[in-house]
Amino acid sequence: MTTATLRATCDDHTRYVAGCRPCQQRTANRGRTRRRAAAYGHIITGHADTTPAREHIAALHDQHRMSYRHIAYAAGVRRDAVRLIANGSQPLAYPETVRRILAVSPAPSIDEIAVRRVLAGHAPITRLSDAERAELWRLWRRQHTSPVGEATFARQFGVTKSDAGRIRYAADRAATNPSHAATGRTNRKAA
């Protein structure tokens, strides 16, 4: 008998009610069954391993720059649950929580949408931030199989060649240290 089939409440209540004798009896019976199962090595919990969810959260957070808040909102779970699972503090969680986290797919950010609009020619490059322009450079280079340079980029997007060179430099710098692309930080120490 598993704990999933054992209700901790009586038929009259949806939650445990203190002082209700049938609720007390069912809760005691459920506790005895769990302790007995644990004693025989058949630990019956209503919990699942969070390792797949932890790996999925790490991928969403690192590769797609999704915050824990965004992941929690998309999964419909508490932000604290996502944080605890991501940190490894919570090795077990309800199976539904794990399923919901695993169901979260990386949504394109507003930045990615803006870059793709410029790349498609539907918006001017002037609307992009420096980090978004660097991402535009990377996507543009990926589309071209033949070697293309700053002059071609400048002509296509209506910027000067020197601006194209600065965008390329920012893209190269972001590729060597990806965390700087999102934050704009540098390795230089403050004077």
Side-chain angles (χ1 to χ4, degrees):
M1 184 179 284
T2 64
T3 57
T5 59
L6 290 176
R7 284 189 54 185
T9 62
C10 69
D11 296 329
D12 297 334
H13 303 110
T14 56
R15 296 183 137 203
Y16 178 83
V17 175
C20 174
R21 191 71 180 147
C23 283
Q24 292 171 347
Q25 289 171 345
R26 286 231 176 139
T27 302
N29 185 33
R30 184 172 185 255
R32 279 191 299 274
T33 304
R34 285 177 56 100
R35 282 189 297 278
R36 189 178 308 116
Y40 286 106
H42 308 299
I43 298 179
I44 301 171
T45 64
H47 294 82
D49 183 29
T50 58
T51 304
R54 183 177 311 110
E55 292 168 357
H56 188 61
I57 290 169
L60 292 172
H61 188 67
D62 297 339
Q63 296 170 4
H64 302 286
R65 299 187 206 125
M66 287 179 73
S67 67
Y68 292 160
R69 176 181 286 177
H70 189 163
I71 295 168
Y73 180 78
V77 299
R78 287 182 10 258
R79 187 176 356 145
D80 219 27
V82 172
R83 183 183 56 80
L84 291 171
I85 291 170
N87 293 340
S89 310
Q90 188 171 339
L92 297 174
Y94 289 116
E96 182 62 23
T97 302
V98 173
R99 271 193 297 275
R100 286 180 175 197
I101 291 172
L102 291 174
V104 174
S105 60
S109 67
I110 293 172
D111 301 343
E112 292 174 31
I113 294 170
V115 168
R116 293 189 189 284
R117 284 181 49 86
V118 171
L119 193 56
H122 300 302
I125 194 171
T126 54
R127 292 189 174 174
L128 299 179
S129 69
D130 291 341
E132 291 168 340
R133 289 179 185 194
E135 181 66 21
L136 175 66
W137 173 269
R138 283 192 297 275
L139 290 173
W140 181 76
R141 286 296 299 255
R142 216 176 286 146
Q143 284 183 348
H144 292 55
T145 54
S146 62
V148 289
E150 297 160 5
T152 309
F153 182 87
R155 271 194 309 277
Q156 184 174 344
F157 295 106
V159 295
T160 64
K161 191 174 174 186
S162 62
D163 283 343
R166 281 193 288 276
I167 292 169
R168 178 179 161 215
Y169 175 75
D172 292 343
R173 191 176 67 209
T176 58
N177 196 346
S179 65
H180 291 190
T183 61
R185 292 182 301 212
T186 63
N187 287 331
R188 287 184 240 149
K189 293 183 178 179

